[in-house]
Amino acid sequence: MRPSTASDPTLGRRRLGPPRDRLRGRLLRLYAALGRRFGPQHWWPGRTPFEIAVGAILTQHTAWTGVDHALRALRARRLLVPRRLAALAPASLARLIRPAGTYRVKARRLRAFVDFVLAALGGRMARLRFDELAGLRAALLAVPGLGPETADAILLYAGRRPVFVVDAYARRVLGRHRLIAPGAPSEAVRALVEAHLPADPGLFNEYHALLVAVGKRHCRTVPRCRGCPLRFDLHGRPPRAI
């Protein structure tokens, strides 16, 4: 005798699981398309976590070419070690990093970061990988001259922590694809992406670098949508004005 399903209308039908995360799906499709077009980006250049962090500070508002020259000068003098950099006179540090632009300002910011590393981390950059993330991020943001973008870049690239870096390219691409609201604060963008993607430092590392790549080639101040690997996501609509 076959059991009756009259009393239970759910029997014989596929049970529904949790709602699908559509935003996660879109973000991962964009990521896959960027990876197919541009390939691995191998970010962030640097031989040690401290060198990576120094580079993240020096690259504020300047092109990487000048930063690379400044890092080479510091490396040649074996100064890319916290205690050695702390012992350097401010004027001498400023001269060495002059190719990175606004060198006096950046010398002060580097010195403030070195003081943080020595005082808060005991001189051990490895603690970026293991200390409690929220408190560590708050402490970095309290260092003079370190805004969210720089602090998050240090956490992601030097500390290998699952923090999404929100820069001008990320805001532009996500905004034009209607994934974030116009004028959304950087903290809201970071929280949104982190809530919908796996907490994987490798994923955030590559995604950030790929957004920079597509931002430089296609999603510029005036968008160049022809040939853009993300055009499929617009479904025939123009990119949103931002």
Side-chain angles (χ1 to χ4, degrees), residues 116 120-121 131-142 155 161:
F116 163 80
L121 304 181
D131 283 9
E132 189 267 328
L133 181 55
L136 185 58
R137 185 173 187 268
L140 274 171
L141 289 172
L155 288 170
R161 306 301 290 269

Side-chain angles (χ1 to χ4, degrees), residues 44-179:
W44 185 291
R47 300 182 182 182
T48 66
F50 184 68
E51 180 175 328
I52 290 170
V54 170
I57 295 169
L58 292 179
T59 200
Q60 293 173 341
H61 311 296
T62 195
W64 183 257
T65 304
V67 175
D68 187 52
H69 286 306
L71 288 174
R72 287 175 185 270
L74 294 171
R75 192 185 304 123
R77 292 160 179 79
R78 300 184 178 181
L79 291 171
L80 287 171
V81 178
R83 295 191 186 280
R84 292 179 187 172
L85 205 59
L88 189 66
S92 299
L93 175 57
R95 283 195 299 271
L96 289 171
I97 65 171
R98 186 169 188 148
T102 58
Y103 53 96
R104 293 187 181 90
V105 172
K106 289 178 180 178
R108 291 195 295 271
R109 292 176 179 177
L110 278 177
R111 185 55 188 265
F113 175 70
V114 169
D115 289 344
F116 163 80
V117 172
L118 295 176
L121 304 181
R124 294 183 293 134
M125 290 291 289
R127 287 185 56 180
L128 288 176
R129 298 188 63 179
F130 305 113
D131 283 9
E132 189 267 328
L133 181 55
L136 185 58
R137 185 173 187 268
L140 274 171
L141 289 172
V143 176
L146 298 195
E149 182 181 336
T150 303
D152 291 340
I154 290 171
L155 288 170
L156 175 62
Y157 292 106
R160 301 179 188 176
R161 306 301 290 269
V163 179
F164 184 74
V165 178
V166 180
D167 59 12
Y169 295 109
R171 294 176 62 86
R172 191 183 301 157
V173 175
L174 298 178
R176 284 178 173 158
H177 282 260
R178 300 171 175 83
L179 287 160

